[in-house]
């Protein structure tokens, strides 16, 4: 028994000092990966911040943003090279912005350009790496809170873009490679343990989100509003209610899964 205690203490010390893991605050029955999705103005970030502040003192909690993942070194290098090319006017086209992806301007037959496709593949890879980090943390007994989540084949938002933007373009070797690579990254992302959907009327979302383009906010909110969420194991919360009621529902739902 004494030997086992010393081994356990040594393991805890290595986990804490080498791998930066606080094993004393892990959940004994396993971790949990929670994803909160919804359109702009639905209150995703506010809900996740509230949950994090509530639970971080009791258990290991990791807060991630899959919609805007942390850039890997490969993404930094690729985006840097693309930026230099843009400044030197090496391309005859402009890169599509993230907001334009959801508007009608991005759904034309015009080729979006290789720089845009490369940037989308980099985003897919960063989301995949974020997913791996989330799964690893939850498998070690922690709680992961994801702001937005990739649901390939169901949502345009945070899903594959290359195939959608090049479907009317004559097939080429490099285009096919980028499409397949982006699709592969998204196929590796499995469903979270708990998927919470915040639905808000698109017009209410536009009134709340005044710091972004009205057309893109309306388009993203309409997508969430109109999707058939009953096809997925999702827990739907109407987000047009007072914020206190929404947060109370989310807290109760998360606690029931812990």
């Amino acid at each position: 028994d004494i030997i086992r205690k010393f081994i356990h203490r040594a393991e805890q010390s290595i986990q804490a000092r080498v791998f930066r893991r606080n094993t004393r605050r892990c959940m004994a029955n396993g971790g949990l990966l929670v994803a909160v999705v919804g359109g702009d103005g639905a209150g995703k970030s506010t809900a996740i911040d509230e949950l994090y502040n509530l639970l971080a003192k009791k258990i290991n909690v990791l807060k991630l943003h899959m919609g805007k993942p942390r850039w890997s070194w490969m993404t930094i290098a690729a985006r840097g090279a693309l930026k230099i090319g843009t400044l030197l006017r090496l391309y005859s086209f402009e890169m599509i912005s993230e907001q334009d992806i959801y508007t009608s301007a991005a759904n034309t037959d015009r080729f979006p350009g290789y720089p845009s496709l490369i940037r989308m593949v980099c985003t897919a890879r960063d989301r995949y790496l974020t997913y791996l980090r989330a799964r690893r943390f939850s498998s070690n007994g922690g709680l992961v809170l994801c702001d937005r989540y990739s649901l390939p084949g169901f949502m345009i938002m945070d899903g594959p873009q290359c195939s959608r933007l090049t479907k009317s373009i004559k097939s080429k070797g490099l285009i096919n490679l980028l499409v397949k690579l982006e699709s592969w990254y998204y196929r590796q992302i499995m469903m979270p343990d708990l998927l919470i959907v915040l639905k808000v009327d698109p017009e209410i979302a536009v009134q709340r989100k005044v710091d972004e383009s009205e057309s893109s906010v309306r388009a993203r909110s309409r997508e969430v509003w109109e999707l058939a969420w009953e096809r997925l194991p999702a827990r739907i919360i109407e987000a047009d209610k007072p914020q206190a009621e929404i947060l109370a529902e989310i807290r109760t739902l998360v606690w029931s899964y812990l």
Side-chain angles (χ1 to χ4, degrees), residues 37-256:
V37 303
D40 294 334
K44 302 183 301 296
S45 300
T46 302
I48 287 176
D49 290 341
E50 175 77 11
L51 281 175
Y52 182 85
N53 294 333
L54 175 68
L55 300 173
K57 297 179 181 179
K58 305 177 185 299
I59 57 178
N60 282 340
V61 184
L62 177 63
K63 183 170 57 173
L64 297 173
H65 200 306
M66 188 171 284
K68 299 177 181 178
R70 185 175 62 184
W71 290 2
S72 63
W73 65 267
M74 185 177 294
T75 299
I76 294 173
R79 283 181 173 259
L82 294 175
K83 186 65 175 179
I84 293 174
T86 301
L87 295 175
L88 296 177
R89 300 187 179 276
L90 299 180
Y91 325 121
S92 59
F93 33 71
E94 295 289 336
M95 289 190 290
I96 298 177
S97 67
E98 183 181 1
Q99 292 184 354
D100 290 339
I101 290 176
Y102 310 103
T103 61
S104 58
N107 297 324
T108 63
D109 294 336
R110 182 175 61 88
F111 179 53
Y114 289 108
S116 293
L117 300 183
I118 293 173
R119 191 180 62 177
M120 292 170 189
V121 172
C122 289
T123 299
R125 182 176 182 272
D126 290 341
R127 285 171 176 164
Y128 166 65
L129 294 177
T130 300
Y131 166 77
L132 290 182
R133 183 184 176 194
R135 276 299 179 195
R136 190 178 299 115
F137 191 88
S138 62
S139 297
N140 289 325
L143 171 64
V144 181
L145 303 174
C146 272
D147 190 338
R148 291 163 57 175
Y149 201 80
S150 296
L151 301 169
F154 193 73
M155 290 183 68
I156 296 176
M157 186 191 309
D158 303 331
Q161 305 297 332
C162 293
S163 58
R164 187 173 66 89
L165 297 176
T166 60
K167 60 184 177 181
S168 61
I169 307 299
K170 186 176 180 180
S171 179
K172 292 184 179 181
L174 182 55
I175 294 178
N176 289 337
L177 177 62
L178 294 174
V179 169
K180 290 179 180 178
L181 187 58
E182 183 195 39
S183 178
W184 185 88
Y185 283 127
Y186 281 112
R187 285 201 307 271
Q188 309 312 306
I189 301 176
M190 301 292 104
M191 288 289 295
D193 301 319
L194 173 59
L195 176 61
I196 300 176
V197 181
L198 300 181
K199 292 183 64 176
V200 63
D201 186 277
E203 299 307 319
I204 297 178
V206 170
Q207 296 175 10
R208 291 178 178 177
K209 203 73 174 181
V210 296
D211 57 338
E212 292 190 19
S213 168
E214 181 177 320
S215 58
S216 62
V217 171
R218 183 178 286 106
R220 289 189 289 244
S221 298
R222 184 179 293 115
E223 181 186 17
V224 177
W225 182 259
E226 295 176 351
L227 280 173
W229 291 102
E230 61 273 8
R231 292 165 47 193
L232 298 179
R235 307 301 294 268
I236 302 173
I237 295 178
E238 300 297 334
D240 53 356
K241 297 177 290 189
Q243 189 179 75
E245 293 184 23
I246 298 172
L247 295 176
E249 285 189 42
I250 295 176
R251 283 198 301 265
T252 301
L253 187 57
V254 172
W255 270 116
S256 67

